[in-house]
Amino acid sequence: MQEVGIHARIHVMELDVSSLQSVRKFVISFKSKNLPLNVLINNAGIMGCPFSLSQDGVELQFATNYLGHFLLTNLLLDKMKSTAEESKIEGRIVHVSSMVHKYTYDSGIRMHKINEAAGYSTHKAYGQSKLALMLHANELSRRLTQEKANVTINSVHPGAVATKIARHHTLLAVRLFPSTQITDTFATSLFSVFLKSIAQCFVALHPSLCKVTGKYFVDCKEAKPSSLAMDAELAENLWHFSAELALSKRSSKTLREQNQSTTSEET
């Protein structure tokens, strides 16, 4: 930002969203600074990686792309509400989802098989994590509206961005961006990170979206999500499932044992 002439105080803080401990540590550190929080953009993610578990024992794409953001958002929500109340300025949360939320498992979210290697699909697991973000946004929007809190939350598809997110799965990148030639210089043919951040910033900042919440945006325009993304019952079930995973203090061993037990019962 400073390189392009934007003068602002920038605080860089360490955060690994794949680690629930790191998320909690970050929140404690951030709150200790007593800074206001007007906007939260949940953007971090990985795509198409081979099956593996996070240090908390959760499937890595689900943990990184969704569960860490779920916990981060919920732990910072009180700060966002108080900032909005004190400043009289609407707080905004933006989940960076993807059009790929439509390409997930048949059930949408494999809640009782989330950590199961059998049946794991690199691209469906990615779609699952992006669907989960949208479901969380919709459920949190409902709750905030009920509370009459001055905070909104929306989801956005960022488009193809020049990062290394497709490094694990070139074929998946070809499927998602068929008009783009995938080469070693793949990133150079895509939109720059700066340019494509316009979509996120539009949803986070534009005055025309005041009081707009629980919506999905593509190219700065409201778009229609999948039917699964609009499933209120699935969103509520995911919320409780996520809270059980993220807000409890289970060890990774306990999570693995739970998953193994569920798998044994189902077979």
Side-chain angles (χ1 to χ4, degrees), residues 125-157:
Y126 180 70
Q128 171 183 248
S129 68
K130 293 302 183 178
L131 172 63
L133 280 174
M134 295 187 66
L135 289 167
H136 174 248
N138 293 342
E139 176 63 13
L140 180 54
S141 173
R142 183 186 68 80
R143 291 170 180 242
L144 290 170
T145 300
Q146 280 188 341
E147 294 176 27
K148 297 183 179 180
N150 192 22
V151 178
T152 64
I153 178 167
N154 292 289
S155 303
V156 61
H157 166 65

mmCIF file of all heavy atoms in Angstrom, residues 125-157:
data_model
loop_
_atom_site.group_PDB
_atom_site.id
_atom_site.type_symbol
_atom_site.label_atom_id
_atom_site.label_comp_id
_atom_site.label_asym_id
_atom_site.label_seq_id
_atom_site.Cartn_x
_atom_site.Cartn_y
_atom_site.Cartn_z
ATOM 1 N N ALA A 125 -13.566 -31.390 -2.113
ATOM 2 C CA ALA A 125 -13.243 -30.898 -0.768
ATOM 3 C C ALA A 125 -13.060 -29.382 -0.790
ATOM 4 O O ALA A 125 -13.439 -28.681 0.156
ATOM 5 C CB ALA A 125 -11.984 -31.578 -0.253
ATOM 6 N N TYR A 126 -12.482 -28.880 -1.875
ATOM 7 C CA TYR A 126 -12.336 -27.429 -2.029
ATOM 8 C C TYR A 126 -13.715 -26.783 -2.167
ATOM 9 O O TYR A 126 -14.020 -25.790 -1.492
ATOM 10 C CB TYR A 126 -11.485 -27.111 -3.253
ATOM 11 C CG TYR A 126 -11.285 -25.628 -3.485
ATOM 12 C CD1 TYR A 126 -10.479 -24.877 -2.629
ATOM 13 C CD2 TYR A 126 -11.894 -24.985 -4.560
ATOM 14 C CE1 TYR A 126 -10.288 -23.515 -2.839
ATOM 15 C CE2 TYR A 126 -11.711 -23.619 -4.779
ATOM 16 C CZ TYR A 126 -10.906 -22.894 -3.913
ATOM 17 O OH TYR A 126 -10.735 -21.539 -4.126
ATOM 18 N N GLY A 127 -14.556 -27.358 -3.022
ATOM 19 C CA GLY A 127 -15.909 -26.835 -3.181
ATOM 20 C C GLY A 127 -16.693 -26.890 -1.880
ATOM 21 O O GLY A 127 -17.456 -25.977 -1.553
ATOM 22 N N GLN A 128 -16.495 -27.967 -1.121
ATOM 23 C CA GLN A 128 -17.150 -28.112 0.178
ATOM 24 C C GLN A 128 -16.763 -26.977 1.116
ATOM 25 O O GLN A 128 -17.625 -26.390 1.793
ATOM 26 C CB GLN A 128 -16.749 -29.451 0.795
ATOM 27 C CG GLN A 128 -17.193 -29.648 2.234
ATOM 28 C CD GLN A 128 -16.708 -30.971 2.809
ATOM 29 O OE1 GLN A 128 -17.510 -31.858 3.066
ATOM 30 N NE2 GLN A 128 -15.417 -31.110 3.005
ATOM 31 N N SER A 129 -15.484 -26.648 1.150
ATOM 32 C CA SER A 129 -15.017 -25.597 2.050
ATOM 33 C C SER A 129 -15.587 -24.231 1.657
ATOM 34 O O SER A 129 -15.906 -23.409 2.516
ATOM 35 C CB SER A 129 -13.488 -25.546 2.070
ATOM 36 O OG SER A 129 -12.957 -25.108 0.823
ATOM 37 N N LYS A 130 -15.735 -24.000 0.353
ATOM 38 C CA LYS A 130 -16.280 -22.723 -0.114
ATOM 39 C C LYS A 130 -17.791 -22.663 0.094
ATOM 40 O O LYS A 130 -18.351 -21.595 0.366
ATOM 41 C CB LYS A 130 -15.925 -22.510 -1.582
ATOM 42 C CG LYS A 130 -14.428 -22.315 -1.811
ATOM 43 C CD LYS A 130 -13.902 -21.122 -1.023
ATOM 44 C CE LYS A 130 -12.435 -20.853 -1.276
ATOM 45 N NZ LYS A 130 -11.945 -19.661 -0.541
ATOM 46 N N LEU A 131 -18.461 -23.808 -0.030
ATOM 47 C CA LEU A 131 -19.882 -23.872 0.300
ATOM 48 C C LEU A 131 -20.080 -23.599 1.783
ATOM 49 O O LEU A 131 -21.013 -22.880 2.177
ATOM 50 C CB LEU A 131 -20.444 -25.247 -0.061
ATOM 51 C CG LEU A 131 -21.878 -25.536 0.404
ATOM 52 C CD1 LEU A 131 -22.867 -24.582 -0.249
ATOM 53 C CD2 LEU A 131 -22.249 -26.989 0.104
ATOM 54 N N ALA A 132 -19.217 -24.163 2.608
ATOM 55 C CA ALA A 132 -19.318 -23.969 4.051
ATOM 56 C C ALA A 132 -19.221 -22.490 4.416
ATOM 57 O O ALA A 132 -19.947 -22.005 5.294
ATOM 58 C CB ALA A 132 -18.224 -24.768 4.764
ATOM 59 N N LEU A 133 -18.340 -21.759 3.744
ATOM 60 C CA LEU A 133 -18.230 -20.319 3.984
ATOM 61 C C LEU A 133 -19.553 -19.611 3.705
ATOM 62 O O LEU A 133 -19.986 -18.738 4.470
ATOM 63 C CB LEU A 133 -17.127 -19.714 3.113
ATOM 64 C CG LEU A 133 -15.685 -19.864 3.586
ATOM 65 C CD1 LEU A 133 -14.727 -19.344 2.516
ATOM 66 C CD2 LEU A 133 -15.455 -19.122 4.905
ATOM 67 N N MET A 134 -20.190 -19.970 2.599
ATOM 68 C CA MET A 134 -21.443 -19.325 2.235
ATOM 69 C C MET A 134 -22.564 -19.681 3.217
ATOM 70 O O MET A 134 -23.372 -18.825 3.590
ATOM 71 C CB MET A 134 -21.835 -19.699 0.809
ATOM 72 C CG MET A 134 -20.861 -19.170 -0.225
ATOM 73 S SD MET A 134 -21.408 -19.416 -1.926
ATOM 74 C CE MET A 134 -22.846 -18.350 -1.964
ATOM 75 N N LEU A 135 -22.607 -20.927 3.635
ATOM 76 C CA LEU A 135 -23.610 -21.346 4.604
ATOM 77 C C LEU A 135 -23.414 -20.621 5.933
ATOM 78 O O LEU A 135 -24.375 -20.183 6.569
ATOM 79 C CB LEU A 135 -23.532 -22.861 4.813
ATOM 80 C CG LEU A 135 -24.019 -23.720 3.642
ATOM 81 C CD1 LEU A 135 -23.599 -25.174 3.840
ATOM 82 C CD2 LEU A 135 -25.544 -23.615 3.497
ATOM 83 N N HIS A 136 -22.151 -20.472 6.329
ATOM 84 C CA HIS A 136 -21.859 -19.745 7.569
ATOM 85 C C HIS A 136 -22.275 -18.286 7.452
ATOM 86 O O HIS A 136 -22.857 -17.707 8.378
ATOM 87 C CB HIS A 136 -20.367 -19.830 7.899
ATOM 88 C CG HIS A 136 -19.987 -18.978 9.083
ATOM 89 N ND1 HIS A 136 -19.194 -17.860 8.952
ATOM 90 C CD2 HIS A 136 -20.310 -19.070 10.398
ATOM 91 C CE1 HIS A 136 -19.037 -17.294 10.144
ATOM 92 N NE2 HIS A 136 -19.701 -18.013 11.041
ATOM 93 N N ALA A 137 -21.985 -17.676 6.299
ATOM 94 C CA ALA A 137 -22.366 -16.281 6.082
ATOM 95 C C ALA A 137 -23.882 -16.112 6.191
ATOM 96 O O ALA A 137 -24.370 -15.162 6.820
ATOM 97 C CB ALA A 137 -21.877 -15.806 4.717
ATOM 98 N N ASN A 138 -24.627 -17.037 5.612
ATOM 99 C CA ASN A 138 -26.081 -16.936 5.633
ATOM 100 C C ASN A 138 -26.640 -17.131 7.037
ATOM 101 O O ASN A 138 -27.560 -16.420 7.464
ATOM 102 C CB ASN A 138 -26.693 -17.959 4.675
ATOM 103 C CG ASN A 138 -26.375 -17.647 3.229
ATOM 104 O OD1 ASN A 138 -25.989 -16.542 2.892
ATOM 105 N ND2 ASN A 138 -26.532 -18.645 2.357
ATOM 106 N N GLU A 139 -26.081 -18.093 7.760
ATOM 107 C CA GLU A 139 -26.565 -18.351 9.119
ATOM 108 C C GLU A 139 -26.193 -17.200 10.058
ATOM 109 O O GLU A 139 -27.013 -16.764 10.884
ATOM 110 C CB GLU A 139 -26.005 -19.670 9.638
ATOM 111 C CG GLU A 139 -26.355 -19.998 11.090
ATOM 112 C CD GLU A 139 -27.853 -20.188 11.339
ATOM 113 O OE1 GLU A 139 -28.628 -20.321 10.376
ATOM 114 O OE2 GLU A 139 -28.249 -20.202 12.535
ATOM 115 N N LEU A 140 -24.976 -16.691 9.933
ATOM 116 C CA LEU A 140 -24.570 -15.574 10.785
ATOM 117 C C LEU A 140 -25.376 -14.319 10.444
ATOM 118 O O LEU A 140 -25.745 -13.549 11.336
ATOM 119 C CB LEU A 140 -23.075 -15.297 10.625
ATOM 120 C CG LEU A 140 -22.510 -14.142 11.470
ATOM 121 C CD1 LEU A 140 -22.842 -14.331 12.951
ATOM 122 C CD2 LEU A 140 -21.003 -14.019 11.275
ATOM 123 N N SER A 141 -25.663 -14.124 9.160
ATOM 124 C CA SER A 141 -26.499 -12.994 8.748
ATOM 125 C C SER A 141 -27.870 -13.075 9.419
ATOM 126 O O SER A 141 -28.394 -12.053 9.916
ATOM 127 C CB SER A 141 -26.663 -12.997 7.226
ATOM 128 O OG SER A 141 -27.584 -12.012 6.812
ATOM 129 N N ARG A 142 -28.427 -14.267 9.448
ATOM 130 C CA ARG A 142 -29.735 -14.454 10.092
ATOM 131 C C ARG A 142 -29.667 -14.101 11.573
ATOM 132 O O ARG A 142 -30.541 -13.394 12.099
ATOM 133 C CB ARG A 142 -30.190 -15.903 9.914
ATOM 134 C CG ARG A 142 -31.572 -16.202 10.477
ATOM 135 C CD ARG A 142 -31.900 -17.687 10.412
ATOM 136 N NE ARG A 142 -31.076 -18.488 11.308
ATOM 137 C CZ ARG A 142 -31.306 -18.604 12.621
ATOM 138 N NH1 ARG A 142 -32.329 -17.966 13.177
ATOM 139 N NH2 ARG A 142 -30.518 -19.354 13.370
ATOM 140 N N ARG A 143 -28.616 -14.547 12.225
ATOM 141 C CA ARG A 143 -28.472 -14.301 13.662
ATOM 142 C C ARG A 143 -28.249 -12.818 13.958
ATOM 143 O O ARG A 143 -28.807 -12.272 14.922
ATOM 144 C CB ARG A 143 -27.320 -15.138 14.219
ATOM 145 C CG ARG A 143 -27.625 -16.641 14.230
ATOM 146 C CD ARG A 143 -26.409 -17.486 14.540
ATOM 147 N NE ARG A 143 -26.742 -18.897 14.546
ATOM 148 C CZ ARG A 143 -26.638 -19.705 15.617
ATOM 149 N NH1 ARG A 143 -26.198 -19.227 16.760
ATOM 150 N NH2 ARG A 143 -26.975 -20.974 15.528
ATOM 151 N N LEU A 144 -27.416 -12.174 13.149
ATOM 152 C CA LEU A 144 -27.144 -10.747 13.352
ATOM 153 C C LEU A 144 -28.390 -9.910 13.098
ATOM 154 O O LEU A 144 -28.632 -8.912 13.794
ATOM 155 C CB LEU A 144 -26.010 -10.297 12.424
ATOM 156 C CG LEU A 144 -24.622 -10.837 12.754
ATOM 157 C CD1 LEU A 144 -23.634 -10.518 11.628
ATOM 158 C CD2 LEU A 144 -24.106 -10.251 14.076
ATOM 159 N N THR A 145 -29.181 -10.307 12.117
ATOM 160 C CA THR A 145 -30.423 -9.598 11.815
ATOM 161 C C THR A 145 -31.407 -9.730 12.978
ATOM 162 O O THR A 145 -32.071 -8.757 13.367
ATOM 163 C CB THR A 145 -31.069 -10.147 10.525
ATOM 164 O OG1 THR A 145 -30.156 -9.968 9.432
ATOM 165 C CG2 THR A 145 -32.367 -9.422 10.215
ATOM 166 N N GLN A 146 -31.484 -10.924 13.558
ATOM 167 C CA GLN A 146 -32.356 -11.142 14.713
ATOM 168 C C GLN A 146 -31.939 -10.275 15.893
ATOM 169 O O GLN A 146 -32.771 -9.757 16.633
ATOM 170 C CB GLN A 146 -32.339 -12.615 15.131
ATOM 171 C CG GLN A 146 -33.230 -13.521 14.286
ATOM 172 C CD GLN A 146 -33.325 -14.927 14.854
ATOM 173 O OE1 GLN A 146 -32.497 -15.358 15.651
ATOM 174 N NE2 GLN A 146 -34.361 -15.652 14.441
ATOM 175 N N GLU A 147 -30.615 -10.122 16.061
ATOM 176 C CA GLU A 147 -30.082 -9.312 17.159
ATOM 177 C C GLU A 147 -30.203 -7.813 16.890
ATOM 178 O O GLU A 147 -29.979 -6.995 17.778
ATOM 179 C CB GLU A 147 -28.600 -9.632 17.385
ATOM 180 C CG GLU A 147 -28.300 -11.018 17.878
ATOM 181 C CD GLU A 147 -26.796 -11.258 17.979
ATOM 182 O OE1 GLU A 147 -26.054 -10.267 18.172
ATOM 183 O OE2 GLU A 147 -26.361 -12.416 17.856
ATOM 184 N N LYS A 148 -30.489 -7.478 15.624
ATOM 185 C CA LYS A 148 -30.494 -6.083 15.171
ATOM 186 C C LYS A 148 -29.122 -5.445 15.355
ATOM 187 O O LYS A 148 -28.996 -4.247 15.652
ATOM 188 C CB LYS A 148 -31.578 -5.285 15.907
ATOM 189 C CG LYS A 148 -32.987 -5.787 15.623
ATOM 190 C CD LYS A 148 -34.046 -4.938 16.297
ATOM 191 C CE LYS A 148 -35.450 -5.462 15.974
ATOM 192 N NZ LYS A 148 -36.515 -4.656 16.628
ATOM 193 N N ALA A 149 -28.089 -6.264 15.165
ATOM 194 C CA ALA A 149 -26.718 -5.765 15.251
ATOM 195 C C ALA A 149 -26.389 -4.993 13.985
ATOM 196 O O ALA A 149 -26.851 -5.338 12.891
ATOM 197 C CB ALA A 149 -25.745 -6.928 15.415
ATOM 198 N N ASN A 150 -25.573 -3.965 14.112
ATOM 199 C CA ASN A 150 -25.194 -3.126 12.968
ATOM 200 C C ASN A 150 -23.968 -3.715 12.259
ATOM 201 O O ASN A 150 -22.962 -3.043 12.043
ATOM 202 C CB ASN A 150 -24.909 -1.698 13.441
ATOM 203 C CG ASN A 150 -24.795 -0.719 12.278
ATOM 204 O OD1 ASN A 150 -25.310 -0.966 11.180
ATOM 205 N ND2 ASN A 150 -24.105 0.388 12.509
ATOM 206 N N VAL A 151 -24.075 -4.988 11.938
ATOM 207 C CA VAL A 151 -22.989 -5.713 11.274
ATOM 208 C C VAL A 151 -23.612 -6.587 10.186
ATOM 209 O O VAL A 151 -24.604 -7.277 10.433
ATOM 210 C CB VAL A 151 -22.191 -6.606 12.253
ATOM 211 C CG1 VAL A 151 -21.105 -7.391 11.509
ATOM 212 C CG2 VAL A 151 -21.575 -5.779 13.355
ATOM 213 N N THR A 152 -23.031 -6.562 8.992
ATOM 214 C CA THR A 152 -23.516 -7.395 7.888
ATOM 215 C C THR A 152 -22.439 -8.400 7.496
ATOM 216 O O THR A 152 -21.255 -8.223 7.810
ATOM 217 C CB THR A 152 -23.879 -6.549 6.658
ATOM 218 O OG1 THR A 152 -22.693 -5.910 6.147
ATOM 219 C CG2 THR A 152 -24.914 -5.500 7.008
ATOM 220 N N ILE A 153 -22.854 -9.434 6.791
ATOM 221 C CA ILE A 153 -21.899 -10.414 6.266
ATOM 222 C C ILE A 153 -22.382 -10.891 4.907
ATOM 223 O O ILE A 153 -23.558 -11.212 4.727
ATOM 224 C CB ILE A 153 -21.705 -11.605 7.235
ATOM 225 C CG1 ILE A 153 -20.738 -12.645 6.619
ATOM 226 C CG2 ILE A 153 -23.024 -12.238 7.630
ATOM 227 C CD1 ILE A 153 -20.252 -13.691 7.606
ATOM 228 N N ASN A 154 -21.485 -10.911 3.938
ATOM 229 C CA ASN A 154 -21.790 -11.349 2.583
ATOM 230 C C ASN A 154 -20.650 -12.220 2.052
ATOM 231 O O ASN A 154 -19.545 -12.211 2.603
ATOM 232 C CB ASN A 154 -22.000 -10.151 1.665
ATOM 233 C CG ASN A 154 -23.254 -9.372 2.012
ATOM 234 O OD1 ASN A 154 -24.371 -9.831 1.796
ATOM 235 N ND2 ASN A 154 -23.083 -8.171 2.565
ATOM 236 N N SER A 155 -20.940 -12.940 0.971
ATOM 237 C CA SER A 155 -19.944 -13.791 0.322
ATOM 238 C C SER A 155 -19.625 -13.239 -1.058
ATOM 239 O O SER A 155 -20.475 -12.610 -1.696
ATOM 240 C CB SER A 155 -20.474 -15.225 0.187
ATOM 241 O OG SER A 155 -20.839 -15.762 1.439
ATOM 242 N N VAL A 156 -18.406 -13.494 -1.521
ATOM 243 C CA VAL A 156 -17.990 -12.982 -2.816
ATOM 244 C C VAL A 156 -17.145 -14.014 -3.549
ATOM 245 O O VAL A 156 -16.370 -14.746 -2.940
ATOM 246 C CB VAL A 156 -17.201 -11.656 -2.646
ATOM 247 C CG1 VAL A 156 -15.950 -11.864 -1.819
ATOM 248 C CG2 VAL A 156 -16.852 -11.047 -3.992
ATOM 249 N N HIS A 157 -17.334 -14.081 -4.863
ATOM 250 C CA HIS A 157 -16.462 -14.883 -5.729
ATOM 251 C C HIS A 157 -15.387 -13.942 -6.267
ATOM 252 O O HIS A 157 -15.708 -12.968 -6.955
ATOM 253 C CB HIS A 157 -17.260 -15.490 -6.875
ATOM 254 C CG HIS A 157 -16.405 -16.051 -7.984
ATOM 255 N ND1 HIS A 157 -15.560 -17.123 -7.790
ATOM 256 C CD2 HIS A 157 -16.261 -15.666 -9.287
ATOM 257 C CE1 HIS A 157 -14.926 -17.386 -8.937
ATOM 258 N NE2 HIS A 157 -15.335 -16.524 -9.845
#
